[in-house]
Amino acid sequence: MKQLIFIICGLCAISNYAQNDIGSISATFDLSQVAMLDLEPNNSTVTLNLAANEAGEKVTMVTANNKKWINFSSAVTSAAAPRSISIVIADGQVPSGIYLKLSTSNKMGIGQGVLGTPSGILTLTSTSQNIVTGIRGAFTGDGIGNGYELTYYLEIYDYKLLDFNQSATLSITLTLSDL
Amino acid sequence: MKNLIFIAFLFISNGIYSQKDKLTVSGDWSKIITASDISDAGNDYQSSFVSLANQSLITISPGGNSNNYVNINVRVHKEDNAWHNNLNLKIRRTSNGTNGNAIISGGLSFQTITGVATTLFSCTGNHTLVPLQYEILGVSVLLPVQTYSTTVVFTITNF
């Protein structure tokens, strides 16, 4: 009987020593979809001119600030389709005899994630075209030197259609979308 | 018979003496992270998000008649519901609570909450409404868009 009492006392001592309680809270972080697109250094006008210095010489393109950089941030769900960046001439018409071309560089800079694949060189029209495809969760980095460099230039496809008094102002829209 | 009475006495006295140490905690942390948390296109989210300094309040009430002299360890761990390994949830104590006379120590610097219970702070006696703050690191646009959640569990043990 003494042994039994001893055991009970021991159990009592242990239970006194190790009383504990428990409580909890929840921590929840709701990450939203993100689709942010920006042009660097700004979205100011790109000016492209054709000029002939001497009669009989080939016409040359005179450019001023014909380069822009695309920066973007993108966050998508696991099940979402990849995103793309498209470009379209939203307003205005390219003068006859010339093409407005766009060259998209390979990705550059400090970006991370699935930054997509550039389409290379395109002739811009009033129909939307993808210049980068396959974008998922990614960020390019901010500012010049990050993301994709866009270079606009003109290409003459028919000299006889050129009108050297003609000029045009075009509005070009770039869109980052799920389509 | 005497022995049985003695055993019964032991059970009763033990029950009175060893009232369970009590812990109550309140204050979930729920944060919606959107594009407005990105400073400019091309950037990722900021490196960390911090909760209110008193996001959670924890109260510790040692059991027994001599509760002012009971030493308590407050331990914390997390049990993930939907989580990502890149996320790092931290916690710290921002003050002594409303019962500042009793002894309390540790937990004033952010420490990572893992799946293993570790000591957040230690105290002696009652402590009421000790404020807790959280920090989340590793939030990125690179993570799949979804709701990430975990349960932060507090346990107390006396020693």
Side-chain angles (χ1 to χ4, degrees):
Chain A
M1 182 55 82
K2 282 183 180 176
Q3 284 178 332
L4 182 61
I5 292 170
F6 183 76
I7 291 168
I8 291 169
C9 287
L11 290 173
C12 290
I14 291 168
S15 66
N16 276 334
Y17 178 79
Q19 294 295 317
N20 56 33
D21 196 13
I22 191 166
S24 67
I25 62 98
S26 67
T28 304
F29 307 96
D30 190 355
L31 271 60
S32 306
Q33 294 208 40
V34 174
M36 298 171 70
L37 180 69
D38 192 14
L39 290 176
E40 296 286 351
N42 50 51
N43 61 352
S44 62
T45 302
V46 171
T47 304
L48 304 170
N49 291 305
L50 293 176
N53 294 329
E54 195 74 36
E57 282 189 355
K58 186 178 179 182
V59 172
T60 58
M61 188 180 72
V62 181
T63 62
N65 302 320
N66 67 326
K67 294 180 184 295
K68 300 287 184 185
W69 288 84
I70 297 177
N71 294 166
F72 63 83
S73 303
S74 170
V76 298
T77 65
S78 297
R83 286 176 166 159
S84 58
I85 298 173
S86 61
I87 192 165
V88 65
I89 298 176
D91 189 36
Q93 194 165 12
V94 179
S96 54
I98 57 175
Y99 291 131
L100 174 59
K101 295 273 193 172
L102 176 72
S103 172
T104 305
S105 74
N106 289 323
K107 60 196 171 201
M108 290 191 267
I110 62 171
Q112 293 181 32
V114 185
L115 289 158
T117 305
S119 298
I121 297 172
L122 294 173
T123 300
L124 302 188
T125 68
S126 58
T127 300
S128 182
Q129 300 175 83
N130 289 334
I131 57 173
V132 182
T133 56
I135 298 167
R136 297 194 64 81
F139 63 94
T140 58
D142 188 25
I144 294 170
N146 292 312
Y148 292 95
E149 185 184 42
L150 304 180
T151 304
Y152 294 91
Y153 62 97
L154 299 175
E155 184 177 288
I156 300 169
Y157 68 86
D158 192 341
Y159 269 77
K160 67 177 178 290
L161 295 177
L162 296 180
D163 180 349
F164 280 85
N165 291 320
Q166 191 177 8
S167 67
T169 300
L170 310 177
S171 294
I172 294 172
T173 302
L174 292 104
T175 306
L176 172 61
S177 70
D178 297 331
L179 302 175
Chain B
M1 188 63 180
K2 280 183 181 178
N3 286 334
L4 283 175
I5 292 170
F6 182 67
I7 292 169
F9 174 76
L10 274 177
F11 272 114
I12 293 167
S13 62
N14 186 63
I16 292 169
Y17 178 76
S18 64
Q19 292 171 27
K20 194 176 183 183
D21 302 329
K22 289 208 182 326
L23 172 154
T24 56
V25 61
S26 63
D28 297 334
W29 186 28
S30 180
K31 179 152 186 69
I32 298 172
I33 298 167
T34 69
S36 63
D37 293 305
I38 295 175
S39 58
D40 198 6
N43 289 329
D44 200 357
Y45 292 115
Q46 60 196 68
S47 59
S48 70
F49 296 89
V50 178
S51 75
L52 297 173
N54 60 347
Q55 190 68 48
S56 296
L57 298 169
I58 189 168
T59 295
I60 298 115
S61 308
N65 296 327
S66 56
N67 57 12
N68 283 333
Y69 305 102
V70 174
N71 298 314
I72 296 287
N73 261 343
V74 177
R75 296 160 70 83
V76 63
H77 72 279
K78 68 181 175 71
E79 296 173 358
D80 298 336
N81 305 310
W83 201 245
H84 194 286
N85 286 339
N86 287 9
L87 295 174
N88 182 4
L89 182 63
K90 295 188 170 190
I91 188 171
R92 72 173 177 181
R93 169 175 71 86
T94 53
S95 83
N96 293 351
T98 56
N99 182 7
N101 294 325
I103 298 167
I104 184 168
S105 64
L108 291 172
S109 299
F110 277 119
Q111 66 184 62
T112 297
I113 306 172
T114 69
V116 179
T118 54
T119 299
L120 177 60
F121 63 88
S122 301
C123 60
T124 301
N126 288 305
H127 278 275
T128 308
L129 303 176
V130 177
L132 302 174
Q133 185 177 40
Y134 304 93
E135 181 182 32
I136 183 77
L137 296 90
V139 176
S140 171
V141 294
L142 306 183
L143 303 186
V145 170
Q146 68 172 71
T147 299
Y148 296 92
S149 70
T150 189
T151 301
V152 180
V153 181
F154 301 89
T155 53
I156 55 174
T157 54
N158 58 39
F159 60 98

